[in-house]
Amino acid sequence: GRDHQMNFIRRLSFDRAALGIVTIASAGVIGEAATRSSLHDAQSPTECRYPPLSSFVTKDHIRELEEKSVVVIHSVLSDATLRYARENAEALSSKMYESLNDSDVRQDQILSIRENDEHDHGDALVHCIKLLRGIPFLLSKFGYCTSHSHIVPRQCQLAMFKPDGSVYVRHLDRCNFSMQEMGLVGWLRASDYRHRVVTAILYLNAPDWGGGGELRLFDENGNDEENSDIIPSGGKLILFDSSRVEHQVLPSNFEDRYALTCWFNGDLTQMCDDKC
């Protein structure tokens, strides 16, 4: 009868309203996911050129990075600069916070820092930030062929592992999962991670560090005998391919372990030319 028809219309109107609300909410979630990025104000390699870096990073280092997916460069900081940079880092320890990752994945304290933060980080630590951010200019200058079209984030991540068993489990710095594996929202939110191509780490510990906390690099072919442990000695710079080198941080033993990291985004090259 008429009452049944009216009830049907009411239910239909409610369903349409609910569908509209869900559609709007979904669009909001997808929009937020699509725009979530820390790279909105990223710069070009040319804008981040830092001439002092050329004294330490050479064409041969870039060729080694291409060939082995990792290169270790020693003593990029003088003893005095390292000492002051460490003091600058320690002064920020009270501002550091736990990573948003699950605590069973990583247990370090981190802080995102920029050259021009309101808080003065100290000349030595700012020098370290500029060193890391200057690397993509040299990748371009020396024709690095594994990736290209690099962009440079304004921020670096300062990380501190306490000597309490804190670790960072085995992982890749680049997200290589597909949208089908992650779901649309998760895949969009991982945009920054999906485009990482080179990782740069500078250690701010004692130059004769012997307190554990090694960076373990896993062999790409799964041969555990070929894994290598990098001692995080102060002034040591490590560059590696974010898309290929799985790694983990082992526990530190005696004192806080500090590292400054910058991830460079870009596009992977499908095929290197003959020089590689």
Side-chain angles (χ1 to χ4, degrees):
R2 183 176 176 80
D3 290 343
H4 179 76
Q5 185 179 22
M6 292 302 296
N7 287 336
F8 175 76
I9 292 173
R10 290 192 191 98
R11 286 199 301 272
L12 184 61
S13 298
F14 177 81
D15 290 347
R16 285 176 174 170
L19 178 61
I21 293 171
V22 169
T23 301
I24 293 171
S26 298
V29 171
I30 293 173
E32 178 274 333
T35 57
R36 177 184 290 191
S37 174
S38 59
L39 299 174
H40 292 305
D41 59 352
Q43 295 179 293
S44 71
T46 302
E47 292 175 296
C48 301
R49 180 180 185 179
Y50 193 48
L53 185 64
S54 298
S55 301
F56 309 103
V57 179
T58 67
K59 183 176 181 179
D60 288 341
H61 290 130
I62 303 307
R63 297 287 82 80
E64 184 175 348
L65 177 61
E66 289 170 340
E67 178 184 350
K68 300 180 179 179
S69 298
V70 60
V71 61
V72 180
I73 305 169
H74 300 270
S75 304
V76 302
L77 300 176
S78 69
D79 289 344
T81 301
L82 173 59
R83 183 172 66 254
Y84 290 130
R86 170 77 180 205
E87 291 175 358
N88 296 159
E90 290 174 338
L92 294 172
S93 61
S94 63
K95 301 179 182 293
M96 302 178 81
Y97 53 87
E98 292 182 1
S99 166
L100 296 178
N101 287 341
D102 294 336
S103 59
D104 58 346
V105 173
R106 63 184 296 183
Q107 296 119 30
D108 54 338
Q109 304 284 311
I110 61 174
L111 185 66
S112 178
I113 59 175
R114 299 181 172 213
E115 298 172 30
N116 58 350
D117 281 335
E118 250 181 59
H119 176 81
D120 180 15
H121 296 315
D123 290 346
L125 189 55
V126 169
H127 169 68
C128 294
I129 295 172
K130 289 182 176 181
L131 284 176
L132 292 185
R133 297 187 70 241
I135 289 167
F137 176 80
L138 295 183
L139 294 177
S140 176
K141 175 181 178 180
F142 296 130
Y144 181 62
C145 72
T146 307
S147 60
H148 60 92
S149 304
H150 302 111
I151 60 173
V152 188
R154 289 183 182 267
Q155 67 279 351
C156 293
Q157 183 185 93
L158 180 65
M160 183 263 288
F161 286 86
K162 290 185 174 296
D164 57 4
S166 294
V167 298
Y168 195 160
V169 301
R170 180 173 179 170
H171 66 285
L172 272 177
D173 282 347
R174 179 186 176 97
C175 175
N176 288 328
F177 294 112
S178 67
M179 185 171 64
Q180 288 74 19
E181 292 171 303
M182 298 184 68
L184 176 60
V185 173
W187 187 79
L188 289 172
R189 285 177 173 165
S191 174
D192 289 358
Y193 300 92
R194 288 188 287 108
H195 294 95
R196 286 179 177 176
V197 290
V198 175
T199 298
I201 305 174
L202 178 60
Y203 291 114
L204 304 179
N205 308 305
D208 57 349
W209 174 268
E214 292 87 356
L215 178 71
R216 175 161 295 172
L217 306 178
F218 291 90
D219 177 62
E220 292 183 44
N221 298 314
N223 184 355
D224 289 344
E225 294 183 358
E226 296 298 321
N227 295 343
S228 58
D229 288 351
I230 307 298
I231 297 173
S233 307
K236 184 179 293 183
L237 173 64
I238 301 176
L239 309 179
F240 60 83
D241 186 330
S242 308
S243 70
R244 301 181 66 176
V245 179
E246 288 190 278
H247 54 286
Q248 72 179 92
V249 177
L250 303 180
S252 300
N253 299 327
F254 305 116
E255 57 183 310
D256 296 341
R257 172 196 187 275
Y258 282 90
L260 188 67
T261 303
C262 195
W263 296 277
F264 310 121
N265 284 35
D267 297 322
L268 293 175
T269 304
Q270 295 302 313
M271 183 178 297
C272 283
D273 56 32
D274 293 339
K275 72 183 177 185
C276 296

